[in-house]
């Protein structure tokens, strides 16, 4: 596995090495030891969540309150998504900056999103099966969210307006500047 720090260095792109033969291919999708060695701290994933999504679905932007914040490792088992992470750490030089990248079952890339970031994705293929490893269990009522189409964030979800599919909850989230982030840049949340 190759690990790459992105423009916001806490966001990590994970690129596997595929091993092909006449049967197809195999790759190591996660190895705790090498992953934690690269990060320099330990992330203990405790749950895998899988979602099936249709073209045009936009999920996000979400995080959790401080005591229930989650790190995520996002991968796509079938299809293609635009995965988005937004720096939500007050005082960060990249506070409010969004990073987006295509993850697919063809490129087999994964995105690690640490605690302190908002996360969302849009579905670019007819369907997508998305798997997200998390390091803390879901806590009902602890979600924080920001409107996906916030003008300040200016995220191009690559979905025509007429094709967007959102939950009622995501449609009614607040603007970025209306949501108080509990995360402070430079603090260790692990």
């Amino acid at each position: 596995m190759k690990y790459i720090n992105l423009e916001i260095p806490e966001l990590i792109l994970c690129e596997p090495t595929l091993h092909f033969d006449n049967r197809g291919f195999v790759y190591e999708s996660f190895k705790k030891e090498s992953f934690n060695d690269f990060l320099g701290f330990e992330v203990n994933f405790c749950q895998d969540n899988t979602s099936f999504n249709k073209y045009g679905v936009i999920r996000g932007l979400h995080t959790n309150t401080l005591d229930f914040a989650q790190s995520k490792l996002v991968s796509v088992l079938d299809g293609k998504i635009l995965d988005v992470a937004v720096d939500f750490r007050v005082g960060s030089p990249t506070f409010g900056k969004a990073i987006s990248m295509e993850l697919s079952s063809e490129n087999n890339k994964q995105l690690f999103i640490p605690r302190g970031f908002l996360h969302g994705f849009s579905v670019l293929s007819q369907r997508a099966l998305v798997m997200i490893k998390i390091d803390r269990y879901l806590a009902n009522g602890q979600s924080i969210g920001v409107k996906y189409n916030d003008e300040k964030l200016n995220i191009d979800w690559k979905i025509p307006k007429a094709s967007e599919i959102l939950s009622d909850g995501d449609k009614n989230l607040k603007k970025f500047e209306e949501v108080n982030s509990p995360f402070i840049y430079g603090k260790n949340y692990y």
Side-chain angles (χ1 to χ4, degrees):
M1 182 73 73
K2 182 178 176 184
Y3 303 109
I4 303 163
N5 296 91
L6 297 178
E7 197 174 328
I8 302 174
E10 293 84 358
L11 297 173
I12 311 297
L13 179 63
C14 306
E15 290 185 343
T17 301
L18 278 65
H19 303 279
F20 291 90
D21 67 17
N22 63 337
R23 299 167 293 174
F25 67 84
V26 65
Y27 66 90
E28 192 175 86
S29 61
F30 179 73
K31 188 173 186 178
K32 184 177 181 176
E33 184 179 287
S34 66
F35 183 74
N36 287 337
D37 284 350
F38 181 82
L39 291 177
F41 58 92
E42 192 165 329
V43 175
N44 290 307
F45 292 112
C46 59
Q47 182 174 322
D48 288 349
N49 295 331
T50 304
S51 68
F52 174 81
N53 308 272
K54 299 183 268 185
Y55 171 78
V57 164
I58 299 174
R59 294 184 185 262
L61 295 159
H62 306 127
T63 190
N64 286 340
T65 58
L66 195 60
D67 292 335
F68 300 94
Q70 299 169 332
S71 295
K72 298 176 179 181
L73 183 61
V74 183
S75 59
V76 176
L77 304 175
D78 184 36
K80 178 168 63 171
I81 67 170
L82 181 73
D83 206 42
V84 177
V86 177
D87 192 342
F88 202 47
R89 301 166 301 159
V90 175
S92 167
T94 54
F95 180 69
K97 180 172 178 52
I99 297 284
S100 60
M101 66 177 32
E102 288 186 9
L103 304 179
S104 72
S105 53
E106 287 186 15
N107 68 25
N108 298 297
K109 295 176 181 179
Q110 300 174 1
L111 182 61
F112 173 68
I113 304 165
R115 298 173 188 172
F117 286 76
L118 296 164
H119 174 250
F121 65 84
S122 61
V123 179
L124 305 177
S125 53
Q126 284 304 111
R127 65 178 188 273
L129 193 58
V130 179
M131 187 174 82
I132 303 176
K133 289 183 158 326
I134 57 174
D135 69 340
R136 282 187 174 158
Y137 297 111
L138 177 66
N140 289 326
Q142 300 301 316
S143 182
I144 300 170
V146 169
K147 200 167 193 70
Y148 78 103
N149 60 354
D150 184 276
E151 292 172 5
K152 178 184 176 0
L153 300 178
N154 195 30
I155 298 167
D156 178 3
W157 293 93
K158 299 188 178 188
I159 302 292
K161 185 80 174 149
S163 298
E164 292 177 352
I165 303 171
L166 292 111
S167 71
D168 288 340
D170 284 352
K171 286 179 188 175
N172 295 313
L173 292 172
K174 294 180 181 180
K175 293 182 178 182
F176 186 79
E177 60 241 0
E178 296 173 338
V179 180
N180 293 322
S181 173
F183 303 101
I184 307 297
Y185 179 68
K187 279 201 169 188
N188 183 357
Y189 293 104
Y190 293 91

